[in-house]
Amino acid sequence: QTVVTQEPSFSVSPGGTVTLTCGLSSGSVSTSYHPSWYQQTPGQAPRTLIYETNTRSSGVPDRFSGSILGNKAALTITGAQADDECDYYCVLYMGSDYYVFGTGTKVTVL
Amino acid sequence: QVQLQESGPGLVEPSGTLSLTCAVSGDSISSSDWWSWLRQTPGKGLEWIGEIYRGGNTNYNPSLKSRVTISVDKSKNHFSLKLSSMTAADTAVYYCARNGRYSLASWGQGTLVTVSS
């Protein structure tokens, strides 16, 4: 059973920078897993932020960026704003034609 | 701007079969290659259920494969999900989505399905 791990929670100050990561229980995340990132506010459907590791979805502010850091995928929020406070999920494409979601990170801006 | 809307019963009996439909508007279902079903539970978080190609090919989550059927009806511009042998663990908000490049590009608003007698 593949487990995709994310930090349970992160706190960032307004205007600050935070980097969320997305790892595998066994192995390293690379661009071959085509990592994507989603933002979800309570009661709403997820919204796509990043796909193909580092491509921003239409309308997504450039304060959101994606990358590979070491053996994990990463989402960096630069200049955090109050409305960035919500849940963030990564998704990895496992290559056998299925996707696995990460466990999610709750970001608090305070 | 494509819009997706899930519909179906909000309550399913244990051991029953869930049937949901995702209506696509603002674009033709033939305009995109792949369309997905997903769900979200408090306990397990977000989970990808499976996807269907506009031509009818399907891929399923290995953990659900034995119970899932996804189909497409291009004439009605919708695609559907059937999940059999439902248990309380299948209680979730179910979403449909249009796939992007190895991603889920556009999402429906979701529909809550509760398994209970």
Side-chain angles (χ1 to χ4, degrees):
Chain A
Q1 175 87 6
T2 301
V3 178
V4 178
T5 58
Q6 297 182 244
E7 298 88 358
S9 62
F10 249 121
S11 184
V12 60
S13 300
T17 296
V18 62
T19 296
L20 316 181
T21 67
C22 174
L24 278 170
S25 53
S26 58
S28 299
V29 177
S30 66
T31 55
S32 299
Y33 286 91
H34 307 279
S36 53
W37 291 89
Y38 304 82
Q39 179 189 60
Q40 187 179 33
T41 53
Q44 300 296 315
R47 167 200 181 198
T48 311
L49 293 176
I50 301 285
Y51 62 95
E52 287 283 37
T53 305
N54 56 15
T55 302
R56 271 185 298 275
S57 191
S58 176
V60 173
D62 60 7
R63 65 177 185 274
F64 293 94
S65 61
S67 63
I68 298 292
L69 284 182
N71 62 351
K72 296 182 180 181
L75 174 71
T76 299
I77 308 172
T78 305
Q81 301 181 0
D83 58 4
D84 296 335
E85 182 167 297
C86 56
D87 296 330
Y88 293 83
Y89 295 90
C90 68
V91 170
L92 300 181
Y93 176 71
M94 303 312 291
S96 301
D97 297 324
Y98 77 101
Y99 297 85
V100 179
F101 277 82
T103 49
T105 298
K106 186 176 190 65
V107 171
T108 302
V109 180
L110 51 73
Chain B
Q1 177 86 351
V2 68
Q3 292 188 318
L4 300 99
Q5 179 67 59
E6 305 88 351
S7 63
L11 184 65
V12 177
E13 291 195 348
S15 78
T17 296
L18 170 67
S19 294
L20 294 176
T21 295
C22 180
V24 178
S25 60
D27 205 352
S28 166
I29 203 165
S30 296
S31 70
S32 279
D33 287 342
W34 293 93
W35 303 83
S36 283
W37 282 100
L38 309 100
R39 66 182 183 179
Q40 185 168 29
T41 63
K44 289 189 68 177
L46 279 159
E47 183 176 34
W48 180 80
I49 298 171
E51 64 185 358
I52 188 162
Y53 185 67
R54 56 186 173 178
N57 290 358
T58 53
N59 295 311
Y60 298 133
N61 188 319
S63 67
L64 297 169
K65 187 173 185 176
S66 62
R67 299 195 291 131
V68 175
T69 302
I70 298 175
S71 59
V72 64
D73 188 331
K74 287 184 279 187
S75 68
K76 295 182 179 177
N77 218 41
H78 74 211
F79 62 108
S80 301
L81 168 72
K82 289 189 186 299
L83 183 62
S84 62
S85 304
M86 295 280 282
T87 71
D90 296 311
T91 293
V93 175
Y94 285 77
Y95 295 99
C96 59
R98 182 175 72 173
N99 291 25
R101 280 180 58 87
Y102 298 102
S103 61
L104 298 316
S106 303
W107 297 64
Q109 64 184 29
T111 186
L112 175 62
V113 176
T114 302
V115 181
S116 176
S117 54

